[in-house]
Amino acid sequence: MTESIFTKIIRKQIPCHLLYEDDLVIAFLDINPVRLGHSLIVPKIQVDYFVDVPVNYYQAAFSLAQKLAPAIQKALGTTRIGLSVVGTEVPHFHLHLIPIEQDRIEGIRTFGNAAVLARQAELIRSVLNQA
Ligand code: AMP
């Protein structure tokens, strides 16, 4: 099986704007955010389709979503986070956490400015670490 880009991130072969990781999951900012604060939660096992993900990884991903969303809200001042599973681009199951503004979740993707993403990741990590 070809390594997904997310497996390469998990193995530290390519960088990411890390928010959190443990034995089962990793969370980092989307490199091409729909909204500022757009984050991904990825299980540390490469499985494409959500129905095939082992339940402990699946539960760990959703459990982290419940902790990470309030941290993103507090760090970036957003009122609500949308949660979605898409999987059209990267064949490695992941959750999208996307701040909702003016009742809309979609936005125009602009390539994430590395300095802005780094600052956002730092803010979100600091809130998560207070919890
Ligand atoms: P999808 O597979 O349709 O759920 O979308 C995959 C998401 O992964 C997209 O929002 C991409 O912007 C994001 N993405 C792809 N490569 C990277 C990367 N190296 N670091 C962070 N996010 C990425």
Side-chain angles (χ1 to χ4, degrees), residues 7 13 25-26 30 36 50 52 58 60 69 87 97 113 118-119 122:
T7 294
Q13 291 163 353
V25 284
I26 187 169
D30 194 296
L36 294 179
F50 75 94
D52 300 320
Y58 192 77
L97 272 67
N113 175 298
R119 177 70 187 135
E122 189 183 319

Side-chain angles (χ1 to χ4, degrees), residues 48-106:
D48 178 9
Y49 194 29
F50 75 94
V51 297
D52 300 320
V53 177
V55 72
N56 56 331
Y57 287 94
Y58 192 77
Q59 286 174 342
F62 279 91
S63 179
L64 178 57
Q66 289 192 315
K67 290 184 192 137
L68 186 54
I72 297 170
Q73 286 176 237
K74 189 169 174 192
L76 304 184
T78 57
T79 53
R80 194 175 174 93
I81 304 289
L83 178 66
S84 69
V85 177
V86 186
T88 54
E89 185 184 323
V90 180
H92 184 153
F93 170 73
H94 52 281
L95 303 179
H96 290 257
L97 272 67
I98 306 177
I100 294 172
E101 288 166 36
Q102 295 169 341
D103 299 331
R104 292 168 66 85
I105 195 167
E106 76 275 17

Side-chain angles (χ1 to χ4, degrees), residues 1-11 21-28 41-62 90-95:
M1 179 169 55
T2 312
E3 276 191 354
S4 74
I5 191 131
F6 294 161
T7 294
K8 289 180 179 154
I9 289 173
I10 290 163
R11 294 189 175 158
E21 71 178 315
D22 60 28
D23 291 344
L24 296 176
V25 284
I26 187 169
F28 48 87
I41 297 176
V42 183
K44 289 184 171 178
I45 183 171
Q46 188 174 324
V47 176
D48 178 9
Y49 194 29
F50 75 94
V51 297
D52 300 320
V53 177
V55 72
N56 56 331
Y57 287 94
Y58 192 77
Q59 286 174 342
F62 279 91
V90 180
H92 184 153
F93 170 73
H94 52 281
L95 303 179

